[in-house]
Structures are given as structure tokens and as C-alpha cells.
Amino acid sequence: MTPLMRQYDDIKKQFPDELVLFQVGDFYELFYDDAKRAAAFLGITLTKRGFAQGQPIPLCGVPRHTVDHYLMKLVRGGFRVVLCDQLSQPEVGKVVERGVTQVLSPGMLTDSKLLDEKSAAYIAIVTKGPQSWGLLFVEILTSSCVATIITPANEKLLEAELSRFLPQEIVISTDAPALQRLISSFGYVTINAPAAEYQAEYVQWLSFLDAQQQTIITRSEVLTQATQILHAYLSKNNATALTTVTAIELYIPDDFLILDSATQRNLEIIKNNYDGSAAHTLFSVLDHATTSMGSRTIKKWLLRPLIDRIALEKRLSYVEALVEDTAVREKLIQHLQSVGDIERSIGRITLKRALLADYLQLARCIQTIPLIISTVQNCALQQLCIFFHTTVRTVSFTL
Amino acid sequence: MKSSLNDDVTKDWLIKSNYHDELDRLRTLVDQGSQALLTLEQQEQKTTGINSLKIRFNSTHGYAFEITKSNFHLIPPHYRRVQTLKDRERFTTQELKDLEYDIKRAQADSGTIEKELFDTLCQQVYTYIPLLKKTATLLAEIDAYNGYAHAAHYFNYTKPSFTHTRDIIIEQGRHPVIENRMRSEGNECFIANSLTLTDQESLWIITGPNMGGKSTFLRQNALINIMAQAGSFVPAKQAELPLLDRIFTRIGAADNVARGKSTFWVEMEETALICNQATEKSLVILDEVGRGTSTYDGLAIAQAVLEYIYTTIKARCLFATHYYELTSLAQHHPSIATYHTANTKGIDGIVLLHQIKPGRALGSFGIDVARNAQIPLSVINRAQEILSTLPTHATEQLNALQSMQKKPSLHEEKYMRVTNSIKSIDCDNLSPRQAFDLIYELKKMCSGTEHR
């Protein structure tokens, strides 16, 4: 066996379920079964190179400079992809050092080219106890994490709660095959995770949470398991993201207007029933936001309507102020265009995956905020802007 | 505010100019170096007499003078050969080496400074992350409010108000999606309909033909409540709404063969969820419950579910049904109201008005709708014949049907079509103009050979 293949096997062993894309010079190459699956899915040529145990090694490859295109196809097709890059400069007579630089799955994406800009990308973790379900949702790019317990352990209630988040992937422990089958039957992508176990690092991570959150989690078997699985999953696939999850917001399903999944389907709120797109849905009618983050907010509000009178009346008063004033609305559209999808830029900055473009976007955003403040200074939205003064004062010196 | 970040896409820089003195000085050196290279190139062309002499850059050998084969005899002795190509060679001199060294050092130094400045900036930004996250969330919300307002303004929505009762009062409500589609297709206006679910009328039983607007009406009321609780304006003239805790809809499901469940099973599962989870603060919308099984089973289940929702759960409920028998429940329960989708008889069958009116529908008009869908007339007439032999109440026997005797010819088909049209003429309500059109229409029917 060549040294290169030995290096490949070491890495592949850690990611048996994923497609490993292995950088060899100007190409990313896939071997063995990965090569067969990827070649069939992407419609690229499958060839052979070298031998392993007397058998030719199947191989396919994609050029490095067009890899984004293939990554998008693979991830949207439900594959999980491990990018393994050359970490040292090639030298004669030495094997180049290689290591895993990114694990990409539908819920793990951070790159704007790969993400669906109008949908939040949630990873869900589901655990089952004798009487209840434990549910945890984490959005990597905003480091937001929410969790809930559903009792009784009714399948319809679980399906309803999942459809309020529409997670990109659902992580389930390998020791719960029945649960895995159930979740797949709902139509979600499931991912195997090792069974939840006690680990010193987990306890340390949990200790950074707010005391009340810790108490609720440790008292609940299903939430303890869910957080353990989350910890293990992120440690393996995106350790930076794990450090950014510093709070787990606990809620009960009754905090929002409950729509069962049949109702969401019947009413075509987010997806229509003929091709699953947003065309001719309630979302498509109401989504007149300027930025993608605005569209995502509207989608979130439609999936999780409120039952709190004060909060609702506040929302309606802001809308009312803007309905009445077309000039303010038009100006806001103009300013929001220069703000852009700042939420995801900040997400990438937090995850240390930002590019110069993200910092420039941030600088433009900070420059635009005073214009937004003055646009709404005579209407109800003024209240929302009070917080912005601190941001502008603090951050503008830096950029 | 002055930003340090380079926003000039033509420059491969992180930090812009005029921000850091040393960085600017080094960049000038790099620029001067490039200028010096040009000067050197011209100077060497003159001294050697080789006009085609060019300075080239290559990542392994750096800068070099490139000279073609035909000029090899003119190469000065102090030139050192660095690379040989097919028809040309590359040379260097001490002067070129020194210049290259200066350029490379200035580039490396400016790179280091840039990286330091950028890293410092990144670290500073990193400390503000909680602040920035909250800012982004607020900006996204402002955008969402603006988006809502835009829709409300252009689609003529109204601000809903939340009452402290459980009443749902929607005046002239519209279906937001269908209304939009009709507008974009330039069709006629969407017919608005009102809803008043109060303690006096807490459950509506709605009857009427398919395609008559029942399903649209049911869905629009659910959508209006959802929009309101999502904080949006709603498509209605006026809306007074409660804060609902749950909305359930049971609307004709498709077979879920992939999960190995029949239509009826899915329907019953969903109905079970409603019976177990709905509260008096919920809105329940049921469309054709019990359709997936035999008539009697279906009727029995539909009535039992309806009674349970009305007497036990006490949820606000809209119940659309084919079972006209159920409308008699209104006589036994004071807060059950009956409504129907209005229609009128036109010359060639039924005209659906898409209006919801009090009272029960006078029959299901299934055959009229079938005719509108252009089912062959022989089938329609046969269905009418069967219907007339059936008892008026479904509770009587259905199986005393005579089998169909013979297949009518195409000629008979045409004959039946004409006589049916003549039979349906309402002589008292026909304008001279309509009568004239009718004569042409009948003439066409008799002479036409093609089937409609």
C-alpha cells in the first residue's frame, strides 16, 4: 500500500458514513465506495488507480477550483462530506501532511455559496424516554440553541414540533433504531451518533450554562442525553461551533400557537403540496423583506406564531407605523440593501470562518445604522433603535 | 468614520491606503520597484542592442531577462543564465537581483503589517460579538416589519385586533394566496366572505357543491388567524380575533402509501389528534371527515366527532360536509349554525357564486358539477335517473339499483343534450338578447358533429 493510501485509510476510519474528499494536488479525490457513490450521483467518470489486496482501487476526482459546485450538489443531495486538505507544502520524498478542515452536512454549512439564503439551517437532536421526547435545535450560524420536552411521547406531537423548525438534519443515537426509522418516515435526513455517554468535557461545557438551564437539563433524562449527543457531535464535526453555544433556551411547545404538521401541510404555509417549493404559499405572499435575514425572520414568525398579547400588539404597532408611511418604507429598503445579510456575516466571524467580504459588510452595516436610526426617528420603530447607539459608538472605532 | 479595510476590489489588499504610514511607504517601494524594473528593461535594451529583451517573472526563478535565440550573440558576458527554454533563454544580473530583493522584501513586510492590522481588527470585532448578534437580530426584525408592511400596503390588508373573548369575527375575509394568484393572472376579483364564530354560533356546518368555495373559506380563516398571531396584517375588511392556542385542520388527505397508511387511517389518526389535543381556545377546521370509508360509517363518525367537539371540547369549529343529514343537528344544538355556498342555475347547469350564506344547501349539485367538468351527457343523464330512484335520505337502502340496460348512441347523446338545454330554459327570466343567443346556441348543438 502506498503511503498516500495509508494516510487516507487513517482518516476514512474516523468518518465511515461520510464522503471523504481527499486533496491530491489540484484535485479532490474519492476512493473505494465513496468514489462509486459520488461518481454515480454527480455523473462524473469512475476510474481505477493502484491495487489494494489485489483489487483495483476505484477512484474519482473533481478539480479544486470547482469544488464548491460539487459540494453544493452533494450536500443538497443529503450526503455528508469531509474535506481533507493538504496542510504542508509538497517536498520531494515526503508525504504531504493532510487533515480534516471541514465537515459539511446540510446543518453544518456556513458558506454563503452553499446555504439556502431564505432558510435557517437547524440541526436537531431527538431522544426518547419512557413518557416523553427530548428535542434540541441548534443553528450553527447564529449559535442559537433551544430545547424542549414533549409529553406524552405521541408521534404526532413530535412531528408537529419538528415541523416548526424544519431541521436540515436530525442526529439520533445509534442505540435507538426505532426512533431513527420514525424520523426518516417523517421525511427528514437522519444522522447516526454514538450513544450518549458521560464525559468530563461535557460536564465542563455544561458548567458554562446559566445555573437554571443546567438544573433543568440535569433533571431531565431526555435533555441530558440530547445535550450529550450535541456535545459529542459538535466536538467531532465543528469544535469552534461548540464553544459558541453558551446558552440553551428552554421552552414549552405551548409558548407558541401550535400547528400540527397536517395543518402546516394543508395550509401550505412554507412549502406547497405539489413541488415542495415556496411558490403559492403564505410565506411567498408575505415575504417582502429586503434582505435574506429579514425573509428568514418572517419564516420563523410564520412557523412559530405567538400567543403573547403584548408582544403581538407591539409587532402590529411597528407594522402599522410602516404601512402608513410609504416614504419611510422606501428609505428603509434602500438602507437595508446596504446592510445585507449581516446576520450570517457575523455568524461566520463568530465561527472564525469569515472572509474580508464579511468584515467589509459589517463596516458598511455600521455606517448605515445611523441612517436607519434617523429614518425611523419619528415613528414607533424608534424604540427598536435605542440599542443601536451603543453598537455604533463601540464598533465604529474598530472598523 | 474611517474604515481601515480595503474596499477596492481591483486591489488584492486587506487594508486600504492612507491608513498606516509604514504600510503606505512599503507599497510605494513595491510600486517604485515595478517602475525601476521598466526603466532597467529599457536601459538594457539600449546597452545590449536587443530590442526584444523583456523582463519576465516566474515563481521559481524570480525576475529574469528573456532573450530569444536569434540574439544570443549579443548577450553581454556579465549575464548569468538561469533558465533555458525551447527557443529562448533567461538571464539575470546583480542589478536585477538587488532590485528583486528590494521588491520582495517590501512585499513581504507589507504583507506582515497588513496581517497584523487585520488580525488586531478581527480580535477587536470578536469581543463585540454579543453586541453585534443582537444588532443583527434587530435589523432582521426591522426588515421583517418592513416586509409585512409592504405586503399590507399593496394587498390592502387590515390590522387585526385581539379581543379578550373567544370570538372570531372576520368581516369580508379573503384567501391571501388565491387572491394573489387571481390578481396576477388578471382574473376577476376574489369573492370575500365573513365569519362570525361566537358563543351564539360556535360551530358552523357548511354544505354546498365541490368547487363552490367551501375549502377556500375554511383555509382562509385558518390563515387569517395564523397571520395575525405571526404579527402581520390580514386580508379582511375588519378582524377581531382571539389568541388561539392551537389550530387543527383536517382537510382531505392524500394516501400516504410510502408510510403504508390508507387515506382513512391517516384521516382517523389526524382526527384522533384533534379530539385529544384541542381545547376550548382552539380553532378546529374539518373538511369532509369520514369520506374515506363507507357512507354509513362515515356519516356516523362525522356526527360523533362533531358532537364531541361541540359538547365536550367546546372549540370554535368550521365543519364542511357532504352529509346533508348533519345539518339537522342545528335543530338540536342552539349554537350550531348552518351555512352553504351559494349558487344559481344557469342555462347549462350550475353557476357557483363562491359566497357563503346562512342556511343549508338544497342538494349537493354533484351532478351539475360533473356536467360542468364535461362528463359525457349519457353518463350525466344516467346518474340523474339513478338519483331520482334513490330515496331522499341516505339512511334508506342503496342497493335496489337497476343495472344500466343499453349504451346510448352518439345520436341519442346529441338529442339528450338539446332537450336538456331546452328543459332548463327559464323563459320568464330571459332577455330578448339572451333568447336570440340561445337560438344560435341550439342551432349549433344540432348541426355540430364534434362532441363538446
Side-chain angles (χ1 to χ4, degrees):
Chain A
M1 190 186 269
T2 61
L4 179 102
M5 287 314 288
R6 210 170 296 134
Q7 197 182 32
Y8 173 82
D9 284 352
D10 285 345
I11 288 167
K12 179 64 193 171
K13 244 179 260 160
Q14 302 163 43
F15 296 96
D17 297 334
E18 288 82 357
L19 291 180
V20 174
L21 268 66
F22 203 64
Q23 190 197 341
V24 180
D26 288 337
F27 280 83
Y28 279 106
E29 299 190 336
L30 297 101
F31 304 102
Y32 303 110
D33 279 351
D34 283 6
K36 291 183 193 164
R37 287 161 70 200
F41 182 79
L42 295 171
I44 56 176
T45 315
L46 183 68
T47 80
K48 294 167 196 149
R49 188 168 66 205
F51 288 87
Q53 285 142 10
Q55 296 291 317
I57 301 172
L59 157 104
C60 69
V62 297
R64 255 187 92 195
H65 66 276
T66 58
V67 73
D68 278 346
H69 166 73
Y70 293 104
L71 288 179
M72 184 159 64
K73 274 185 151 181
L74 288 170
V75 173
R76 295 223 170 124
F79 290 97
R80 306 209 315 131
V81 181
V82 173
L83 273 189
C84 188
D85 286 311
Q86 292 180 183
L87 301 177
S88 63
Q89 287 301 315
E91 279 176 61
V92 183
K94 259 184 156 182
V95 180
V96 179
E97 199 187 321
R98 290 184 175 85
V100 173
T101 46
Q102 269 196 82
V103 180
L104 299 169
S105 59
M108 280 289 181
L109 301 178
T110 56
D111 191 328
S112 56
K113 289 193 288 293
L114 302 179
L115 277 163
D116 173 1
E117 53 188 18
K118 291 202 172 182
S119 303
Y122 285 106
I123 299 171
I125 290 157
V126 181
T127 53
K128 188 179 188 301
Q131 307 291 325
S132 56
W133 309 104
L135 253 74
L136 191 147
F137 299 94
V138 58
E139 191 188 5
I140 296 290
L141 260 184
T142 56
S143 3
S144 66
C145 185
V146 295
T148 191
I149 303 168
I150 301 175
T151 30
N154 176 314
E155 293 176 9
K156 291 270 168 202
L157 298 182
L158 173 64
E159 191 182 5
E161 203 52 38
L162 287 173
S163 57
R164 304 216 299 201
F165 289 86
L166 301 172
Q168 257 61 33
E169 59 190 52
I170 301 185
V171 185
I172 299 156
S173 157
T174 41
D175 63 3
L179 182 57
Q180 200 140 70
R181 276 194 301 277
L182 176 68
I183 304 274
S184 305
S185 79
F186 295 157
Y188 291 103
V189 175
T190 60
I191 289 170
N192 281 318
E197 58 174 6
Y198 178 88
Q199 277 187 329
E201 292 91 348
Y202 165 75
V203 177
Q204 205 201 346
W205 171 71
L206 203 66
S207 70
F208 287 115
L209 300 183
D210 161 290
Q212 203 191 345
Q213 292 170 358
Q214 280 184 55
T215 318
I216 296 171
I217 290 167
T218 45
R219 277 192 194 152
S220 154
E221 180 63 24
V222 285
L223 287 187
T224 303
Q225 280 180 20
T227 45
Q228 281 172 346
I229 291 173
L230 172 75
H231 181 267
Y233 186 68
L234 289 185
S235 309
K236 181 180 171 192
N237 296 314
N238 192 337
T240 320
L242 182 65
T243 62
T244 65
V245 177
T246 51
I248 297 178
E249 192 190 322
L250 295 144
Y251 74 98
I252 52 171
D254 283 325
D255 290 343
F256 301 95
L257 169 65
I258 295 181
L259 305 169
D260 63 312
S261 47
T263 299
Q264 291 206 12
R265 248 192 331 270
N266 288 336
L267 295 177
E268 301 184 299
I269 296 174
I270 299 297
K271 289 186 203 171
N272 67 36
N273 289 335
Y274 45 94
D275 64 3
S277 76
H280 303 304
T281 59
L282 180 60
F283 174 64
S284 74
V285 172
L286 284 179
D287 178 23
H288 290 273
T290 306
T291 68
S292 311
M293 61 176 184
S295 298
R296 291 195 299 273
T297 304
I298 289 177
K299 191 181 265 188
K300 200 166 76 186
W301 287 351
L302 288 176
L303 284 173
R304 276 160 275 170
L306 300 177
I307 52 167
D308 179 46
R309 181 183 303 273
I310 295 168
L312 274 173
E313 276 169 359
K314 220 179 213 171
R315 265 191 204 173
L316 285 168
S317 74
Y318 295 144
V319 179
E320 189 174 28
L322 292 167
V323 173
E324 284 162 3
D325 202 330
T326 303
V328 168
R329 239 175 24 242
E330 298 295 334
K331 261 194 209 157
L332 273 181
I333 290 176
Q334 198 190 324
H335 297 327
L336 287 163
Q337 277 164 351
S338 26
V339 166
D341 194 348
I342 195 65
E343 189 181 53
R344 288 205 161 153
S345 287
I346 290 169
R348 281 187 288 272
I349 291 172
T350 314
L351 293 172
K352 308 203 159 138
R353 286 210 174 275
L355 305 170
L356 175 64
D358 290 312
Y359 288 96
L360 283 171
Q361 190 66 53
L362 180 59
R364 250 194 313 275
C365 170
I366 301 293
Q367 282 165 7
T368 312
I369 287 175
L371 303 176
I372 291 177
I373 296 174
S374 70
T375 304
V376 299
Q377 66 183 346
N378 293 318
C379 83
L381 271 81
Q382 194 191 354
Q383 295 174 37
L384 287 175
C385 297
I386 296 168
F387 180 81
F388 290 158
H389 294 287
T390 325
T391 314
V392 174
R393 228 183 8 252
T394 328
V395 186
S396 47
F397 287 109
T398 309
L399 286 163
Chain B
M1 190 176 76
K2 199 176 83 178
S3 171
S4 61
L5 294 171
N6 169 45
D7 51 4
D8 179 354
V9 288
T10 63
K11 294 244 172 15
D12 188 19
W13 294 346
L14 291 171
I15 306 296
K16 58 164 64 159
S17 52
N18 289 325
Y19 179 76
H20 191 274
D21 291 345
E22 178 62 10
L23 184 61
D24 287 347
R25 194 185 68 83
L26 290 166
R27 280 180 179 157
T28 316
L29 283 183
V30 175
D31 283 348
Q32 282 170 350
S34 312
Q35 196 54 50
L37 281 172
L38 275 179
T39 320
L40 181 66
E41 189 180 75
Q42 285 164 5
Q43 178 199 314
E44 291 298 308
Q45 280 170 0
K46 259 190 212 138
T47 52
T48 59
I50 308 171
N51 286 332
S52 64
L53 181 145
K54 286 267 178 313
I55 293 180
R56 299 281 183 204
F57 181 77
N58 160 304
S59 56
T60 35
H61 298 98
Y63 291 101
F65 298 119
E66 189 174 281
I67 295 168
T68 51
K69 229 174 195 168
S70 54
N71 293 310
F72 280 1
H73 60 284
L74 296 171
I75 298 168
H78 68 282
Y79 271 39
R80 269 187 287 130
R81 179 178 294 117
V82 287
Q83 197 185 9
T84 305
L85 298 162
K86 198 176 155 202
D87 59 343
R88 61 196 67 192
E89 296 201 336
R90 290 186 178 153
F91 300 87
T92 188
T93 61
Q94 195 53 47
E95 196 179 357
L96 185 61
K97 279 251 162 236
D98 292 347
L99 192 52
E100 181 182 329
Y101 177 78
D102 288 345
I103 293 172
K104 278 195 169 166
R105 204 183 57 179
Q107 275 173 338
D109 288 353
S110 71
T112 312
I113 291 176
E114 267 199 313
K115 194 164 180 324
E116 268 170 24
L117 288 172
F118 190 64
D119 284 349
T120 316
L121 178 140
C122 291
Q123 274 161 22
Q124 275 172 348
V125 169
Y126 205 79
T127 58
Y128 303 134
I129 279 188
L131 189 75
L132 293 175
K133 285 206 154 154
K134 187 158 180 214
T135 305
T137 308
L138 282 170
L139 286 168
E141 284 180 11
I142 289 176
D143 192 10
Y145 293 129
N146 209 41
Y148 270 174
H150 190 88
H153 176 82
Y154 286 98
F155 305 148
N156 203 13
Y157 292 169
T158 184
K159 182 182 176 183
S161 59
F162 295 105
T163 61
H164 289 269
T165 66
R166 298 195 291 121
D167 296 350
I168 302 177
I169 301 170
I170 297 168
E171 203 184 309
Q172 305 269 304
R174 284 121 54 202
H175 189 298
V177 181
I178 296 178
E179 175 187 51
N180 254 27
R181 192 174 346 184
M182 286 172 73
R183 190 184 296 121
S184 66
E185 286 168 3
N187 283 348
E188 71 270 48
C189 265
F190 185 87
I191 309 286
N193 278 300
S194 302
L195 173 75
T196 45
L197 282 176
T198 59
D199 287 340
Q200 287 72 45
E201 287 193 357
S202 68
L203 189 151
W204 280 24
I205 297 176
I206 303 159
T207 51
N210 287 329
M211 298 294 296
K214 272 185 309 191
S215 294
T216 302
F217 180 66
L218 297 188
R219 284 163 210 251
Q220 89 188 23
N221 289 307
L223 287 170
I224 286 171
N225 276 286
I226 292 170
M227 288 168 83
Q229 287 187 251
S232 162
F233 278 28
V234 296
K237 205 172 155 203
Q238 205 186 330
E240 285 174 42
L241 307 171
L243 287 163
L244 298 171
D245 64 348
R246 286 137 212 246
I247 294 177
F248 292 98
T249 58
R250 162 86 270 302
I251 297 172
D255 263 303
N256 198 334
V257 186
R259 283 208 223 160
K261 292 174 177 176
S262 73
T263 309
F264 184 62
W265 177 253
V266 171
E267 188 181 327
M268 287 303 106
E269 270 190 331
E270 289 177 13
T271 309
L273 184 75
I274 296 170
C275 291
N276 295 325
Q277 296 289 324
T279 75
E280 61 168 17
K281 288 199 285 185
S282 307
L283 174 62
V284 177
I285 284 178
L286 298 166
D287 194 359
E288 309 288 5
V289 164
R291 191 163 53 169
T293 183
S294 76
T295 311
Y296 299 130
D297 278 5
L299 179 58
I301 292 170
Q303 181 166 345
V305 167
L306 195 149
E307 285 172 351
Y308 185 76
I309 290 169
Y310 178 75
T311 53
T312 311
I313 299 176
K314 299 187 169 69
R316 297 289 188 234
C317 176
L318 295 176
F319 196 103
T321 184
H322 259 109
Y323 297 124
Y324 293 90
E325 295 78 4
L326 288 177
T327 54
S328 63
L329 283 174
Q331 289 153 22
H332 309 293
H333 301 292
S335 306
I336 293 183
T338 55
Y339 283 81
H340 70 283
T341 52
N343 47 65
T344 58
K345 282 257 186 184
I347 169 165
D348 220 3
I350 192 168
V351 177
L352 304 165
L353 297 176
H354 303 286
Q355 275 168 2
I356 308 288
K357 296 218 160 135
R360 48 174 286 182
L362 306 162
S364 71
F365 304 99
I367 291 176
D368 300 271
V369 174
R371 184 184 292 116
N372 283 2
Q374 309 201 352
I375 290 203
L377 265 168
S378 56
V379 177
I380 299 288
N381 287 348
R382 173 65 185 148
Q384 208 113 46
E385 200 180 304
I386 296 170
L387 190 68
S388 64
T389 66
L390 286 176
T392 35
H393 284 281
T395 40
E396 289 167 63
Q397 286 190 334
L398 274 164
N399 48 8
L401 300 178
Q402 293 173 351
S403 62
M404 196 192 258
Q405 314 241 304
K406 68 177 179 77
K407 187 176 178 287
S409 70
L410 287 178
H411 180 76
E412 283 168 317
E413 174 91 28
K414 197 196 284 176
Y415 171 75
M416 279 189 281
R417 203 143 41 97
V418 176
T419 46
N420 274 3
S421 292
I422 296 172
K423 268 192 236 159
S424 67
I425 296 173
D426 182 356
C427 302
D428 296 329
N429 284 313
L430 213 59
S431 71
R433 172 71 209 244
Q434 283 170 326
F436 198 67
D437 288 346
L438 195 65
I439 293 169
Y440 268 99
E441 183 73 35
L442 289 171
K443 180 114 173 97
K444 212 168 96 192
M445 278 187 191
C446 293
S447 58
T449 47
E450 82 288 340
H451 257 260
R452 47 174 267 188

